Amino acid sequence: DVQCFDFEEGRIRPLTAEAECAFVHEYWHYLQNISTPMGLFTYVLDHTLLSLFSETLLPHADGTSVGSGGFEEEMRVRLEATSRFIKAIEGSTIHHGYEHDEPSGIEVTAVRSDAAPVNSPEGTMKVRPVDLTANLLLGSGARIPYNLRLGTYIIEEGAAYEMERSFPGSANITPPVVPYQVLHALGRHLCGREPNRIELVSLATLSLMTWNPGRTLVNLLERLPKRHSVLRIDDLNAGFTELVRPDLQKILRDLPLRLNALTAITRGRGPLELASQRVFERFSTLVSRRAKDPLFDVRAIFDSDTPPLGFNALLTDVPTCDIVLKPAMSNGQPGEAKIASFDLSDDREDSHALR
């Protein structure tokens, strides 16, 4: 059982049903962030921004930021390119608040992908944004036009929401329509029927294994059967994994470069460097499992007799580490990131070192 510390009562006690749902929701984010390529990549992008921000603290040296106004042209271009690419990856939503009538639902009416591609800061990747046209449904029956950009934010929040709904306490929780119900509304629009929870969580997870999660998710949802069918995890693995395998293979080949870039950003930053090493360790192991069984976490939940039992299995199934990180030496010798890279065509594992 998962226990929590009650600060008001000053004691450890079991989670309430509602708190268990919140824990499941957040733990699902954690699991996806450290076991999908897009999870690691957004982590690297965030630390790239952090590195740029720390440059603004240097002039005064008293913890005060001078902002990016003092950046040289090269730094300014790098900041703008990084910020633009993060927005393209994450997508965007506008949280509407209504004084008398909060939205009770959302319907997606159109999906467009005609915006210009956005390049990554180093120019090795392109993301083609996906825009959704929708209506917010009010309790009064009114419909309010609503536009949003599909990205990791909507995908991850929608999947985590679907996961928490597998638990009894969710009946007493009413989260905001945006972003939590957008994934389901998108699936309904593209499938012409109500998608089930296994389909939504599985396809959302697969989309996070590519460099274009929004576009990939749309492609996957469009391929779902138009009539209701009982799809198992194995059906989804067999029918949809091949669509993301090329991207996943390329990502695994590029993984040492990404890890090494993050090692360089956090090197010498004390706790931040240590935290990043811990992330590398867990990510390296879990992504290897992801490569062999792309939906291993979804399987653990939905292939068990009851979702909570499957979730408990995920909590206790701690993988071993298969990454070695050596920091840069004081004499200037470069550090080394050594990880396992996996050939998806068989079970061979080849270890590569990158300096």
Side-chain angles (χ1 to χ4, degrees), residues 103-108 132-137 144 146 148 177-186 188:
S104 58
I106 183 171
E107 60 179 11
V108 175
L132 306 181
T133 301
N135 290 318
L136 291 176
L137 311 179
I144 298 179
Y146 186 71
L148 58 162
V177 169
V178 178
Y180 301 107
Q181 296 181 32
V182 178
L183 175 64
H184 193 101
L186 176 62
R188 184 191 310 120

Side-chain angles (χ1 to χ4, degrees), residues 6 11 16 26 43 47 84 92 121 143 146 217 246 334 348:
D6 190 321
R11 66 182 180 90
T16 63
E26 299 306 328
Y43 185 83
H47 277 275
R84 185 166 54 248
S92 61
R143 284 173 163 78
Y146 186 71
L217 178 63
R348 290 186 300 113

Side-chain angles (χ1 to χ4, degrees), residues 18-330:
E18 292 77 16
E20 183 180 44
C21 288
F23 177 76
V24 166
H25 183 109
E26 299 306 328
Y27 189 86
W28 193 255
H29 283 319
Y30 162 74
L31 185 63
Q32 302 253 295
N33 286 342
I34 63 168
S35 68
T36 64
M38 190 49 60
L40 178 75
F41 187 56
T42 52
Y43 185 83
V44 172
L45 286 173
D46 287 341
H47 277 275
T48 301
L49 279 185
L50 179 61
S51 177
L52 290 167
F53 171 72
S54 59
E55 295 291 329
T56 69
L57 303 175
L58 297 179
H60 288 172
D62 61 358
T64 303
S65 169
V66 298
S68 59
F71 276 175
E72 298 292 337
E73 181 65 18
E74 180 183 351
M75 294 285 283
R76 187 177 297 108
V77 170
R78 185 180 170 203
L79 173 61
E80 291 174 354
T82 302
S83 300
R84 185 166 54 248
F85 193 66
I86 288 176
K87 289 180 181 178
I89 288 285
E90 294 182 348
S92 61
T93 62
I94 299 175
H95 294 277
H96 286 280
Y98 298 94
E99 185 176 351
H100 302 294
D101 201 355
E102 286 291 334
S104 58
I106 183 171
E107 60 179 11
V108 175
T109 58
V111 178
R112 305 187 318 279
S113 187
D114 50 9
V118 179
N119 292 319
S120 62
E122 71 280 5
T124 60
M125 294 168 47
K126 288 184 179 180
V127 170
R128 183 173 292 278
V130 176
D131 294 306
L132 306 181
T133 301
N135 290 318
L136 291 176
L137 311 179
L138 303 186
S140 62
R143 284 173 163 78
I144 298 179
Y146 186 71
N147 297 317
L148 58 162
R149 178 157 285 180
L150 179 63
T152 57
Y153 179 57
I154 288 173
I155 294 171
E156 292 172 355
E157 291 295 348
Y161 172 62
E162 292 294 330
M163 186 57 65
E164 74 172 72
R165 289 178 62 211
S166 303
F167 290 73
S170 63
N172 302 321
I173 301 174
T174 306
V177 169
V178 178
Y180 301 107
Q181 296 181 32
V182 178
L183 175 64
H184 193 101
L186 176 62
R188 184 191 310 120
H189 171 72
L190 294 174
C191 301
R193 62 172 174 83
E194 293 291 336
N196 64 54
R197 194 164 298 149
I198 293 179
E199 292 170 337
L200 290 174
V201 175
S202 297
L203 300 191
T205 300
L206 289 176
S207 74
L208 296 175
M209 299 181 204
T210 72
W211 290 141
N212 281 269
R215 183 66 255 176
T216 300
L217 178 63
V218 169
N219 289 340
L220 294 174
L221 288 171
E222 287 177 336
R223 293 171 180 263
L224 280 177
K226 300 305 179 185
R227 293 193 299 177
H228 279 288
S229 59
V230 181
L231 292 180
R232 301 173 302 158
I233 303 298
D234 288 338
D235 297 327
L236 290 163
N237 252 336
F240 293 89
T241 301
E242 291 306 316
L243 300 176
V244 303
R245 191 173 294 273
D247 263 18
L248 184 55
Q249 287 176 319
K250 182 180 185 301
I251 288 169
L252 290 174
R253 288 194 298 270
D254 292 345
L255 189 56
L257 288 171
R258 302 293 173 188
L259 291 179
N260 201 58
L262 189 52
T263 301
I265 291 172
T266 61
R267 183 173 295 130
R269 296 179 181 266
L272 188 59
E273 181 179 13
L274 180 61
S276 292
Q277 290 183 6
R278 295 282 295 176
V279 169
F280 295 164
E281 293 168 0
R282 185 60 59 87
F283 181 84
S284 174
T285 299
L286 289 180
V287 81
S288 69
R289 179 184 298 179
R290 183 76 72 189
K292 296 175 181 178
D293 184 8
L295 298 176
F296 76 87
D297 46 353
V298 184
R299 183 192 306 280
I301 299 293
F302 291 109
D303 276 2
S304 64
D305 294 333
T306 60
L309 292 179
F311 190 79
N312 288 341
L314 276 180
L315 286 174
T316 57
D317 187 11
V318 180
T320 57
C321 170
D322 58 6
I323 185 169
V324 177
L325 292 173
K326 297 179 181 179
M329 307 298 290
S330 58

